[in-house]
Amino acid sequence: MKRYSTFLESSRPTTMARVALRAADVYATLRHPRQAWPPLPMMYEGTKSRWVYRRNGMAYFDYLRELAGLTPASNVLDIGSGLGRKSWPLIGFLETGEYLGIEPRRDAVQWCTRNITRQDPRLRFEHIDVRNGYYTPQGSRDASTATLSAETGKYDIVMANSVFTHMLPAEINNYLRECRRVLVPGGRLLCTFFMTPDEPSILGPTVSPARYQFPHHRDGYRVQHDNCDEHVVNYDEHDVRSMYDNAGIKITDIHWGSWRGNKEFLDFQDIVIGEKI
Ligand SMILES: C[S@@+](CC[C@H](N)C(=O)[O-])C[C@H]1O[C@@H](n2cnc3c(N)ncnc32)[C@H](O)[C@@H]1O
């Protein structure tokens, strides 16, 4: 599988990294004049960069096809769809399949509807009114009991990218049960985590410092920022495995990310592939 460099999004924001990112953005703008770009100040969900927005979409499009079996007939549910970084590559790709993005930020749902649904009505975005300490502290429903507005047994693929990295255990347990509910039998789940492996040697050699250290210990997880747990959350591999087991989803593969500075990786975050059993 093609490996996309994660350097520009994983490196620390030094002056050199910023200059490299700006140059990459100019290149992306000139090279892809028809792409709809969210305004840079609006890119709240990661590095404020057109280059990263595009790289990220292309990479996950490949992962969806190669790791989750995406075809033009697939029904896809995207939990926490943000500004459509992983949705835009599906424009014009789905034939009989449909895509639904669920997102608690209204501004993101609006942007995606205006810029993505308008180009391809097979891709739709819906607002979900849930609380997240980092993204939507004003949300009214608790994510540990919320029901996703997605049809039972409809989806071939469910993805939650860079979403469980901002959620707490009871919320993830609930969402994994919801994923199982909406998946077809044998359907695939592609989610990302910042995860600590049970066997650290599996990661191989390290070539740069870790992007996060997760110094603050909580009951069953660790966090990077003491004042907001949901800013970035880290789980142990065995805890993730037991959450999946409890939800009736089998983990079929783990692709470790580059965020710890390891030389071998697929993308920046750890990608966990699951299958409804
Ligand atoms: C880092 S962004 C990732 C967005 C998108 N998945 C991507 O990869 O570009 C995390 C997203 O998860 C959303 N989110 C946070 N808590 C959520 C929840 N309980 N349910 C659904 N989405 C949530 C946030 O609003 C935010 O848009």
Side-chain angles (χ1 to χ4, degrees), residues 22-55:
R22 289 290 78 88
D25 277 7
V26 171
Y27 172 79
T29 308
L30 295 174
R31 180 84 180 71
H32 306 286
R34 295 160 69 90
Q35 171 102 36
W37 306 106
L40 285 194
M42 194 182 181
M43 288 189 186
Y44 67 86
E45 80 295 34
T47 311
K48 292 181 188 304
S49 155
R50 290 183 171 185
W51 170 271
V52 171
Y53 185 84
R54 192 163 168 100
R55 183 214 79 80

Side-chain angles (χ1 to χ4, degrees), residues 44-45 80 82 85-86 103-104 130 132 135 143 161-162 166 175:
Y44 67 86
E45 80 295 34
R85 273 195 299 189
K86 274 87 172 178
E103 167 56 48
V130 282
N132 177 280
Y135 288 105
N161 293 304
S162 198
H166 304 279
Y175 271 43

Side-chain angles (χ1 to χ4, degrees), residues 90-121:
L90 298 176
I91 296 172
F93 174 80
L94 295 177
E95 289 170 8
T96 52
E98 291 171 13
Y99 164 102
L100 174 63
I102 296 182
E103 167 56 48
R105 287 205 33 158
R106 286 186 194 277
D107 56 345
V109 172
Q110 254 170 25
W111 189 88
C112 288
T113 304
R114 284 188 193 139
N115 291 278
I116 295 179
T117 308
R118 195 175 52 84
Q119 289 187 64
D120 186 343

Side-chain angles (χ1 to χ4, degrees), residues 45-96:
E45 80 295 34
T47 311
K48 292 181 188 304
S49 155
R50 290 183 171 185
W51 170 271
V52 171
Y53 185 84
R54 192 163 168 100
R55 183 214 79 80
N56 199 271
M58 283 166 26
Y60 276 80
F61 185 53
D62 285 358
Y63 308 153
L64 283 172
R65 281 186 297 180
E66 296 188 33
L67 306 175
L70 174 74
T71 71
S74 301
N75 286 328
V76 181
L77 174 67
D78 186 4
I79 300 173
S81 44
L83 289 165
R85 273 195 299 189
K86 274 87 172 178
S87 343
W88 67 262
L90 298 176
I91 296 172
F93 174 80
L94 295 177
E95 289 170 8
T96 52

